[in-house]
Amino acid sequence: MQNPLFSLLRFPNAVIAGAGVALGHLCLLEPIDVGNLILGVLSLAVLAMAGNVQNDFYDRDTDAVNRPDRAIAAGVISPEAARGLSILLYVASVSLGLGISLAHGILVVGMAFLLGAYNKTLKGMPLAGNLAVALLCAFSLYFAEYPGWPYYTLLPSLFAFVTTMAREIIKDIEDIPGDEAAGMETLPIRYGVGIAKRWLWGFLLATLVLLPWGFWVFPNGMAYGVVVVIAVLPTLGMVGSMVARRDPVWGGAQRWMKWVMLAGMAAVGAGVV
């Protein structure tokens, strides 16, 4: 059985958030400030964990239907303990951001408010919750270049945004039973699965449109292209094939979408190393 605390914090998601910061540093194509890199990785990884715990606190009734094995829904960890832990993690995340600069600390505060708004309100609104999560993922890559304008991190941030939007829409469709029971009005609930699928196909197409730009943007365009061909396109194709079925396998599509995101990060890394 999985450790309840590990399940609550969702370490793999936190690692991905921290990896986004590291990848953003690589995209700058300049000597890395190791101290700022470590603080940035830890700050956004801890922020992701804070949001995961808070999300499970607010979603405990929905999870009783959609994911009854989660720690709070299963009664393994009390809601009060989870709420206290999320507050501590939010404070730790902002503190780590302030260790880089005041500007980064302010950015983490803004991201924390956006994450909190998502957990409490936005996730139950059509597209609003999806946009919030996609922006947070994009900011993790832009974090290294902040407070300057996104230039070196622009394409990776856009890739993170569109792939996250696709995955979030898939998750909304997958979670319809529990979300309906909780009174949420996500995109597929408000407008139907058909409309949600159109939005999903739009973001999958946007991913395909963005992919070729890496050949010209990244210094190692050939290495980038190799990873795109052997990893990104096949995983993206798996998602498309699952979504195109008459009775789509939404759980499988959601998992494969995560592999698309990881493969995209690997492609960007190959293009800038």
Side-chain angles (χ1 to χ4, degrees), residues 28-114:
L28 300 184
L29 305 177
E30 61 184 31
I32 294 175
D33 185 320
V34 177
N36 287 348
L37 169 64
I38 293 173
L39 288 172
V41 167
L42 290 175
S43 177
L44 292 204
V46 172
L47 179 66
M49 289 189 284
N52 290 335
V53 175
Q54 185 187 46
N55 181 73
D56 281 11
F57 170 80
Y58 284 119
D59 272 6
R60 55 193 185 276
D61 294 333
T62 307
D63 285 343
V65 178
N66 288 336
R67 295 176 176 85
D69 58 327
R70 285 190 171 172
I72 301 175
V76 178
I77 295 176
S78 72
E80 294 76 16
R83 188 173 191 177
L85 177 60
S86 71
I87 293 172
L88 288 174
L89 290 170
Y90 273 124
V91 171
S93 175
V94 173
S95 300
L96 289 163
L98 287 169
I100 302 173
S101 71
L102 177 60
H104 283 85
I106 293 172
L107 176 60
V108 177
V109 169
M111 294 175 71
F113 273 106
L114 180 58

Side-chain angles (χ1 to χ4, degrees), residues 18 109 175 198:
V109 169
D175 291 346
R198 292 181 187 177

Side-chain angles (χ1 to χ4, degrees), residues 4 9 23 31 51-53 61 74 78 80 90-91 93 97 124 129-130 138 168 189 195 198 205 208-209 245:
L9 296 174
L23 185 58
N52 290 335
V53 175
D61 294 333
S78 72
E80 294 76 16
Y90 273 124
V91 171
S93 175
N130 311 128
E168 288 298 306
I189 292 174
I195 296 296
R198 292 181 187 177
L205 178 61
L208 281 174
V209 170
R245 293 178 184 177

Side-chain angles (χ1 to χ4, degrees), residues 118-170:
Y118 164 80
N119 286 328
K120 189 172 184 180
T121 306
L122 297 180
K123 66 186 169 190
M125 300 169 61
L127 286 179
N130 311 128
L131 284 168
V133 175
L135 283 171
L136 288 165
C137 290
F139 271 125
S140 70
L141 284 150
Y142 168 56
F143 194 84
E145 199 167 5
Y146 176 83
W149 289 101
Y151 177 74
Y152 296 103
T153 60
L154 178 59
L155 182 60
S157 297
L158 288 173
F159 184 85
F161 179 85
V162 296
T163 53
T164 302
M165 284 295 297
R167 182 168 181 257
E168 288 298 306
I169 291 173
I170 291 172

Side-chain angles (χ1 to χ4, degrees), residues 179-271:
D179 289 346
E180 281 185 325
M184 294 185 180
E185 291 196 357
T186 58
L187 180 66
I189 292 174
R190 171 75 72 86
Y191 298 108
V193 173
I195 296 296
K197 284 181 69 173
R198 292 181 187 177
W199 279 92
L200 170 58
W201 281 116
F203 286 110
L204 292 177
L205 178 61
T207 302
L208 281 174
V209 170
L210 286 174
L211 286 175
W213 289 94
F215 288 101
W216 297 281
V217 170
F218 301 127
N220 299 324
M222 186 61 68
Y224 164 83
V226 169
V227 180
V228 165
V229 170
I230 67 173
V232 181
L233 291 178
T235 51
L236 192 61
M238 283 296 299
V239 173
S241 67
M242 289 183 173
V243 173
R245 293 178 184 177
R246 180 167 299 186
D247 186 18
V249 183
W250 295 112
Q254 187 262 126
R255 288 188 291 274
W256 275 103
M257 199 65 220
K258 183 177 285 188
W259 283 111
V260 172
M261 298 165 75
L262 292 172
M265 294 175 71
V268 172

